[in-house]
Amino acid sequence: MSQEHIEHAIRKEYAAGFTTDIESDTLPPGLNEDTIRFISGRKNEPEWLLEWRLEAYRDWLKMAEPSWAHVNYPPVKFNEISYFSSPKAMKDRPQSLDEVDPQLIETYNKLGIPLHEQAALAGVAVDAVFDSVSVTTTFREKLWEAGVIFCSISEAVHDYPELIKKYLGSVVPRKDNFYAALNSAVFSDGSFVYIPKGVRCPMELSTYFRINEANTGQFERTLIVADEGSHVSYLEGCTAPMRDENQLHAAVVELVALDGAEIKYSTVQNWYPGDADGKGGIYNFVTKRGVAHRDSKISWTQVETGSAITWKYPSCILRGDNSVGEFYSVALTNNAQQADTGTKMIHLGKNTRSTIISKGISAGKSSNAYRGLVRMSPRAEGARNYTQCDSLLIGDRCAAHTFPYIESRNPSAVVEHEATTSKVSDDQLYLCQQRGLDAEKAVSMIVNGFCKEVFRELPMEFAMEAGKLLEVSLEGSVG
Amino acid sequence: MLKIDNLHASVENKAILKGLDLTVGAGEVHAIMGPNGSGKSTLGHVLAGRPGYTVTAGSAQLLGQDLLTLDTEERAHLGLFLAYQYPVEIPGVSNMEFLKASVDAVREHRNVPALDSVSFMKQAREACKAVNLDQAFLKRGVNEGFSGGEKKRNELMQMMLLAPKLCIMDETDSGLDIDALQVVADGINAMRSADRSFILVTHYQRLLNFIKPDRVHVLSGGRIVKSGDHSLALELEERGYAWLEDVA
Amino acid sequence: MNDFMQQALAAAARSAPPWLEPLQAQGREAWSKTSLPTRKTEAWKYTSLQALQKTFSAAPTQAAGSPLGDVPLPKLTGPTLVFTDGHYRSDLSTTELPAGLRLVRFADATSDQAERIAAALGSAILPGRHVFAPLNDATLTDGVFMDVPANTHIETPVHIAWLTTGQNESISVTQRLLVCLGENSGATLVESFANTATGGTAFTNGLTELLIGRGAQLNHYRLHLEQGDVVHIGGVHARQDADSVLNGFHLALGSALKRIDLVVDQQGPGAHSSLDGLYLPRGTETVDYHTCIEHAVPHCTSQERFRGIIADEASAVFNGRIHIHPQAQKTRAELSNKNLLTSNKAEINTKPELEIYADDVQCAHGATVAQLDPLTLHYLRTRGVPRDEAEVMLSYGFINELVEAVAQAELQAFLKPLLARRFARDSRLTRHIL
Ligand SMILES: Nc1ncnc2c1ncn2[C@@H]1O[C@H](COP(=O)(O)OP(=O)(O)OP(=O)(O)O)[C@@H](O)[C@H]1O
Ligand SMILES: [Mg+2]
């Protein structure tokens, strides 16, 4: 591997790093109870939700920022962030796609998001969250016919208050952790999905998130409820423009899989990672968790290539007997990126099963940590976990860490954990080069092979996108 | 020796044996053949009392005793021996201590005086020689890292030392080279006696060239669908199982 | 400072050689600034210090002088130093030394030796790595210095036994061992910790430092045989020079609480460290092993195998950290941790950790938790072996691989029956293992 090539890799451009020149309506930076009242007021929220937010805020004030993750960054100045930004033309919500600001549509086109006709072709229903506001949801009618609710969470608050009251905060309580509390106080928008009993959602549901405004934080909130025996596959993609300042993204995702339901949640996260010196980039501090009831299944698949700092542990609480949890992850860090990501599998029910496949790739001078918890509770008779956790190192200035916590209190539960760390071997490279591949292509192939168990889990369109993303993110990192 | 009546058994709520009848007289050799997945190994495991296998109907008697109510080790004490199709590896437990523990337990229950270590070692070495395994195998973990053929010969060695009454040999001939097959056949033939019976589960008639069976049965769909003498094996070798489907 | 922290210092009142006083003072200073870890402290997340709530008083100033009774200790040919409640017992020790070996108590050290000890003591303990190390310094009055000159190979094992008798009260004992292996030397060291069954109890703070010179090889066996109410918090801190080899074997039977930290600092290329360990708590006992291999330089290797069987309502913690520093290219590191839970109330918390800052390395770790495999158990039973005996054979088989790897024959002969009987008091059940 030549130094020169590595240098080149570090200088690579962030492909999604354009800004969009749209007039927007942004709240001045700062956070206090008035900020929260403003957000809630702008969204015409009912009184109970305002109270809910304020309580979260008061709890948050008493909490300390977590410091246990293997990441380093200057303290976030929560008072210098703007907690609400809405594209101005959106103030009066568009009645149809034709009314959507063409420049916005153009933005999504640049991102390659299948929003409009593209969406139709791909058969994907998209809820696009731009800065803090949900811009449009396509395919609502077709879903409506199947009985599936897919809308922004702000709308859901008005249209389905019972569901929201019942499930919001039921998986990730307001006080769960520092960022979850912050999100609960200031969340701006996000997606809501409800799949009725026995319904197989007729298409993949998808949300794209984009932070556009400078100095804004994005605090979206996603809630997916799959009623008994239902099935849904949900995709989430994220990008942000290049900015010199760090931007905060503190989302909360809650999944509820009722008896016999199945939720598949896939993420391709490509927030702006900052420049080669670690300047700018998104702080991605996300709480994702699902509760799996009897005979249900929750599967998390994630491909993480973006963000300056990632702090994220999509988890499964396997509450019901025979429930299944899965976590498939590829996390790639380059340059000065830092990631501390993994999962928690909490086995409560009998015969619960979980599988964790984690692939970490570190390049440049980045740091990539897997952190996982597998807990077998005394009740988890016959439960099983299998964990495979591999790290690949590219270049001699990066770091890769593995911190698996295994706690077992049931003798009939079986836990198996394996982890390896290695580098792309010279032999492998040499072999590929002998077969006529240039080094870059060879590494990309090796990395793709390394990740294939995870890519296999992604829906088709996403798998291709993910492969491309890795290739771009690694461009020139070897020679 | 063995009398099985209308035996029904299931694994994980799936019915595998569906009314199996089989009688084996003292000193007889029976061969059981049949397509993959027909329940041959299941029969062996049910007789040995493996956990997870539930008998839903029928009976099985060995030497006049009801097998199905006995604990696994009691069945062994009574004289049942099952040579596994896929022998289990036990790292950390040496073959020798394993053999000694089995032999002592079985002798104790047959009211035969225990073997002292010297005589036991002598017998173990002889058994090793008889199945053509190096004595070094006695010191290794049970089946740990043994090749397929070595595992099969190790099963045979256990059988020799335990001197059971009924030997069920589940595909002991599979995966053996020609010389090893001869060794196994010689071993079995040497053990044949008027008060010892054999059930040989096999896919290949070639084993039966070495050990002449008294009866040949076809197990299909969880039942014995056809029985005959040695010539049935030859016929099966020629024609496969398809022609029997109507019978099943 | 809470009660425990005060009392522990009070135990230091006994006289020590004057040259140890600066170290004691330093220790007192550091200890007074220490706050006891809580469950919120990452390294103590799973282990409560509740057992320290008890009152521990200073050990008696005089050796008890009583015979030991039936304390299970290995009988080894070679020099044996026995301490009871922190006091050297010449009546129980054998001090005939093999040629070349120097084995001296701190209390007896000549001024030259004292100078060497004072210079080396604490040097293998990485700063801040052991919360209880300052307490050991503060309360240190005697210890043992084992010195193997360069190019000297000591064949016979050196055995040091640290015993507590705790006649009807709870006492606090400090133990310290400093081992220096000169270049290309070799030695075998056995440390045993045990208590007499008198009903008393003890808090032992045991610290062993191993300085292993270039090309030297140390075979180190550390047996924690204490049982009952004994609390032991301590560990081994090793520093290895180039091409040196450390073979460690660790055993912990359970007691009220055992927390043992094993830290190996590889400072010279070509060093190899191997650590095997067994922990077998039962009743309501707790054993906590924290191991850490610091791969600080290139071309080093390490291999760790820890196995635990946790019975009844006991709990165990294993934390195995492999830390590869940026310069440590070409490191090969492996760790395996396997656990058996044999009861519904037993608990294991394990965390094999990799922290890697160099790219050309090969590291792997694995951890498993399970019960005895039901199908393996069945296989033994189909051969006539009764269930209870089969369980004992398989439990022992689970740890046997590590016992078989104990190279010191006398020690292996001591360990086998001791361990086999852990699983069954009835000799009928262990007769085929022994
Ligand atoms: N634990 C199990 N769970 C579910 N099905 C099982 C289990 N064990 C066996 N079976 C099924 O029972 C059927 C009979 O299996 P068995 O092993 O008895 O077949 P066999 O006749 O020995 O086949 P072969 O010739 O391949 O050895 C098969 O369909 C098999 O898949
Ligand atoms: Mg079979």
Side-chain angles (χ1 to χ4, degrees), chain C residues 114-154:
Chain C
E115 211 168 291
R116 281 194 60 203
I117 297 168
L121 211 57
S123 67
I125 303 171
L126 297 168
R129 199 49 70 83
H130 202 296
V131 194
F132 285 79
L135 178 62
N136 194 291
D137 289 345
T139 56
L140 185 59
T141 50
D142 198 2
V144 175
F145 177 42
M146 171 173 164
D147 186 22
V148 184
N151 305 312
T152 308
H153 286 265
I154 310 293

Side-chain angles (χ1 to χ4, degrees), chain A residues 20-26 86-90 101 103 213:
Chain A
T20 304
D21 190 15
I22 297 178
E23 239 192 309
S24 71
D25 201 7
T26 301
S86 146
K88 223 171 219 163
M90 293 296 112
D101 188 331
Q103 225 179 334
E213 278 302 297

